[in-house]
Amino acid sequence: DSGVTQTPKHLITATGQRVTLRCSPRSGDLSVYWYQQSLDQGLQFLIQYYNGEERAKGNILERFSAQQFPDLHSELNLSSLELGDSALYFCASSVVASGSYTDTQYFGPGTRLTVL
Amino acid sequence: GQQVMQIPQYQHVQEGEDFTTYCNSSTTLSNIQWYKQRPGGHPVFLIQLVKSGEVKKQKRLTFQFGEAKKNSSLHITATQTTDVGTYFCAGLGGTGGSQGNLIFGKGTKLSVKP
């Protein structure tokens, strides 16, 4: 158990819908990262928050957004869902992230999203 | 953009055989991390290498960071069925939009036949 929790574990929805994935980082970790894992693309970095502020952006679609709340939990919002959005979404947390050194990232169990 | 390539994509071995996965970056990396993801599980941190030419060992696992800090390898000696999973390398991006982000390779999926 990494100490990172994610809900829900599974999510089945239809195209065009909007869903929210939730992540609670390890106690004491200030950074939260979101990744998308699909079969043929490996782990794709989406976005990072550090202590409530957006820190870095990866290959995140405009239909997706995220935020980190004062209690440090984070939510990833996916809207106008398409079949291709079906994937595992992982949240990871770390203590800090500086520009030249990266802390270990602890991954949550993931949310499996299926878009029908 | 910055890329981290990993080979092979798949490796099937007989239990007791050795296994190696290689990771190559298009640019120099500040550091490199290795993660293991068991089937149905989430990535779990194994190790981080920071220094040029660094070699670290964890029991049957040997990790190397190249002298130019652009490549790395993970070698498992005498594989066991518990080694099954996907091994990812991840390098810290240093340029442009990737700066400060971990860039993951696509992973090497290891299967071990008992």
Side-chain angles (χ1 to χ4, degrees), chain A residues 1-2 33 35 37 39-45 48 55-58 88 90 97-110, chain B residues 9-10 30-31 33 35 37 40-46 48 50 86 88 91-94 97-107:
Chain A
D1 182 8
S2 66
Y33 310 77
Y35 292 89
Q37 186 177 42
L39 277 173
D40 57 345
Q41 290 297 320
L43 273 165
Q44 295 287 318
F45 168 71
Q48 178 201 358
R55 179 70 179 257
K57 244 180 181 177
L88 256 176
F90 286 106
S98 68
S100 60
Y101 174 80
T102 303
D103 285 312
T104 301
Q105 293 190 16
Y106 296 88
F107 282 76
Chain B
Q9 193 174 357
Y10 301 97
S30 299
N31 59 50
Q33 298 183 359
Y35 290 78
Q37 184 176 18
H42 58 273
V44 175
F45 174 81
L46 292 177
Q48 175 168 270
V50 179
T86 301
F88 293 96
L92 181 64
S98 299
Q99 190 169 12
N101 303 335
L102 267 184
I103 302 169
F104 281 81
K106 290 198 175 183

Side-chain angles (χ1 to χ4, degrees), chain B residues 35-89:
Chain B
Y35 290 78
K36 176 183 177 181
Q37 184 176 18
R38 293 181 186 273
H42 58 273
V44 175
F45 174 81
L46 292 177
I47 208 160
Q48 175 168 270
L49 304 172
V50 179
K51 298 177 185 174
S52 168
E54 190 170 11
V55 178
K56 284 188 177 180
K57 290 191 176 185
Q58 288 179 351
K59 297 183 181 178
R60 294 178 295 103
L61 277 61
T62 302
F63 304 84
Q64 290 189 313
F65 201 9
E67 293 289 342
K69 299 183 77 174
K70 293 179 75 172
N71 62 300
S72 181
S73 65
L74 157 59
H75 179 82
I76 302 179
T77 305
T79 54
Q80 299 175 359
T81 54
T82 53
D83 296 325
V84 164
T86 301
Y87 292 85
F88 293 96
C89 63

Side-chain angles (χ1 to χ4, degrees), chain B residues 2 4 6 9 17 21 23 34 41-42 44 46 49 67 71 78 94 98 101-102 108-111:
Chain B
Q2 194 163 358
V4 173
Q6 229 178 312
Q9 193 174 357
E17 292 181 340
T21 173
C23 184
W34 285 91
H42 58 273
V44 175
L46 292 177
L49 304 172
E67 293 289 342
N71 62 300
S98 299
N101 303 335
L102 267 184
T108 295
K109 189 171 183 178
L110 172 66
S111 62

Side-chain angles (χ1 to χ4, degrees), chain A residues 53-108:
Chain A
E53 295 191 3
E54 183 183 302
R55 179 70 179 257
K57 244 180 181 177
N59 301 318
I60 188 167
L61 300 172
E62 285 194 12
R63 301 182 285 108
F64 295 1
S65 65
Q67 54 185 325
Q68 186 179 28
F69 295 87
D71 66 353
L72 300 177
H73 91 271
S74 178
E75 292 180 356
L76 178 67
N77 301 296
L78 315 176
S79 62
S80 303
L81 285 167
E82 302 175 359
L83 295 177
D85 297 327
S86 295
L88 256 176
Y89 291 84
F90 286 106
C91 164
S93 74
S94 69
V95 176
V96 294
S98 68
S100 60
Y101 174 80
T102 303
D103 285 312
T104 301
Q105 293 190 16
Y106 296 88
F107 282 76

